[in-house]
Amino acid sequence: MKYIDEFNDPGLARRLLDEIRATVTRPWALMEVCGGQTHSIIRHGIDQLLPEEVELIHGPGCPVCVTPLEVIDKALEIAARPGVIFCSFGDMLRVPGTDRDLFRVKGEGGDVRVVYSPLDALQLARRHPDRQVVFFAIGFETTAPANAMAVHQARRLGLDNFTLLVSHVRVPPAVEAIMASPACRVQGFLAAGHVCSVMGTAEYPELAERHRVPIVVTGFEPLDILEGIRRTVHQLERGEHRVENAYPRAVRESGNPAALRMLEEVFEVTDRAWRGIGPIPASGWRLADAYRAYDAEHRFDVTGIRTEEPAVCRAGDVLQGLIKPTECAAFGTACTPRTPLGATMVSSEGACAAYYLYRRMTDAPPAAAAPAAPARGSRIPREEMNPVG
């Protein structure tokens, strides 16, 4: 399968691992920002194949997980109202609010529907002019352009029964917040490739220079991740702190110009609270004034909601990379995919869900030895490292 099989080659993986082993001389802590990368790392056991000097820290790159509890409760309030069709991607339905989730609302009679695109919700609004259709617009920069296009189309079509409940977040301010924390021990970042395919890399050089950390844009297949780690370790060992693009088949420095134009028209930057982390300045988007009529919070006036996280849940520490999921006392006992205490256990990109799904119930390395590697110091030819450019 083109662009997939080429990046799952065990032989090339062994050679990349060998080069990382040959390069590293001291401990380094790297953070993969994206939850999709976390799942790939845990699924393939990449963290357990790396030399012990290289530690991977899981970052806050799960958009479902960082959606604030207050916004979840607002979604539940809106979805329960008569005359509303509430649309969402499927991974939001099990995310716990203060006392229930969207599945519970649906079971109690709310019209909650799973859609595969915000444009599906837009079509529902066209077919049901007597109903208010709300789409739960969450996510990082990756999903924001499609949501912007949906509300842009709604205004062009003159639909007054379509709104977005917006909880979009932006990655660079989160990286800034992580690096500024006194508890931070991250020394290099694997940046989210899909985010950079939309936004480009222009926001990262200043971060890399100010905090003196390498930032390597990385994909999601095993060889993508290993190549990102290899480049990051090389920079760290040489005392460098540059932005590198290790995902050139999807990411350009300028990003996606059409998507960027749509985002600039429909959204404006705002402060945003992240679940488990707290407020981060300029880390989100909201609808611009010209599109405020399509803001579900404004239309439904959902205010006065008070929230409280379960005291035993340490999802916030997981999202900040302060602990691994297995270090939470509730993991795998009180908190499972059937009885989740936090979004990190139910999201398809959550770190706790990855550990549970792939039976990583402890952080101990596997008993079996890693695959034999080629002779120390051998290198993968550049054309093999990026076989499709």
Side-chain angles (χ1 to χ4, degrees), residues 34-352:
C34 179
Q37 292 169 341
T38 300
H39 272 251
S40 186
I41 288 165
I42 302 303
R43 176 187 177 189
H44 297 285
I46 291 172
D47 57 329
Q48 296 179 327
L49 295 174
L50 291 168
E52 63 181 12
E53 293 89 349
V54 180
E55 178 188 2
L56 295 182
I57 299 174
H58 313 314
C62 166
V64 173
C65 304
V66 301
T67 301
L69 183 57
E70 180 183 358
V71 175
I72 301 293
D73 282 356
K74 288 178 179 180
L76 299 172
E77 166 70 20
I78 294 170
R81 294 191 182 185
V84 169
I85 300 174
F86 193 89
C87 300
S88 173
F89 295 138
D91 53 1
M92 289 302 300
L93 268 64
R94 293 287 316 283
V95 176
T98 298
D99 56 9
R100 54 182 176 166
D101 57 26
L102 285 168
F103 263 131
R104 174 73 65 85
V105 172
K106 183 176 179 67
E108 293 171 351
D111 193 347
V112 177
R113 306 191 189 187
V114 174
V115 296
Y116 296 97
S117 163
L119 297 177
D120 294 341
L122 190 68
Q123 291 303 314
L124 282 172
R126 298 184 71 178
R127 293 200 301 267
H128 300 278
D130 58 328
R131 307 280 298 278
Q132 289 291 325
V133 177
V134 182
F135 179 73
F136 202 176
I138 71 147
F140 291 103
E141 294 94 328
T142 315
T143 57
N147 295 333
M149 174 59 74
V151 77
H152 174 83
Q153 290 280 68
R155 190 172 76 159
R156 186 179 67 83
L157 295 169
L159 294 176
D160 60 1
N161 65 325
F162 178 80
T163 54
L164 299 181
L165 179 59
V166 179
S167 186
H168 277 302
V169 287
R170 302 173 58 243
V171 170
V175 172
E176 171 70 39
I178 290 168
M179 292 306 302
S181 169
C184 177
R185 56 191 186 87
V186 178
Q187 296 162 295
F189 284 92
L190 305 180
H194 288 172
V195 168
C196 293
S197 70
V198 174
M199 303 300 295
T201 60
E203 293 183 89
Y204 291 102
E206 182 183 352
L207 287 172
E209 179 65 29
R210 183 164 64 254
H211 296 289
R212 302 185 67 80
V213 294
I215 299 176
V216 178
V217 180
T218 307
F220 301 86
E221 299 303 321
L223 292 189
D224 287 321
I225 293 169
L226 287 171
E227 170 65 356
I229 294 169
R230 185 193 72 83
R231 293 192 188 200
T232 307
V233 169
H234 268 276
Q235 282 201 49
L236 288 167
E237 290 285 339
R238 294 194 295 258
E240 298 174 353
H241 44 273
R242 295 179 287 103
V243 175
E244 288 191 64
N245 181 10
Y247 197 34
R249 66 186 187 277
V251 173
R252 301 291 179 267
E253 182 179 356
S254 58
N256 184 322
L260 292 172
R261 286 194 298 270
M262 182 58 63
L263 290 172
E264 185 176 0
E265 175 185 339
V266 174
F267 291 123
E268 62 186 24
V269 173
T270 186
D271 299 343
R272 181 71 71 185
W274 294 49
R275 188 170 189 173
I277 298 176
I280 301 178
S283 67
W285 276 311
R286 65 184 177 191
L287 289 169
D289 287 342
Y291 289 88
R292 195 57 49 83
Y294 297 92
D295 186 337
E297 289 192 56
H298 174 75
R299 181 168 298 185
F300 292 94
D301 191 26
V302 279
T303 58
I305 292 177
R306 299 186 180 185
T307 61
E308 185 175 353
E309 296 278 5
V312 70
C313 178
R314 298 187 66 188
D317 292 334
V318 172
L319 289 168
Q320 296 177 71
L322 300 178
I323 65 169
K324 298 290 197 295
T326 49
E327 296 176 70
C328 175
F331 174 78
T333 54
C335 183
T336 71
R338 288 184 176 273
T339 58
L341 295 178
T344 49
M345 182 55 87
V346 292
S347 168
S348 61
E349 294 188 0
C352 296

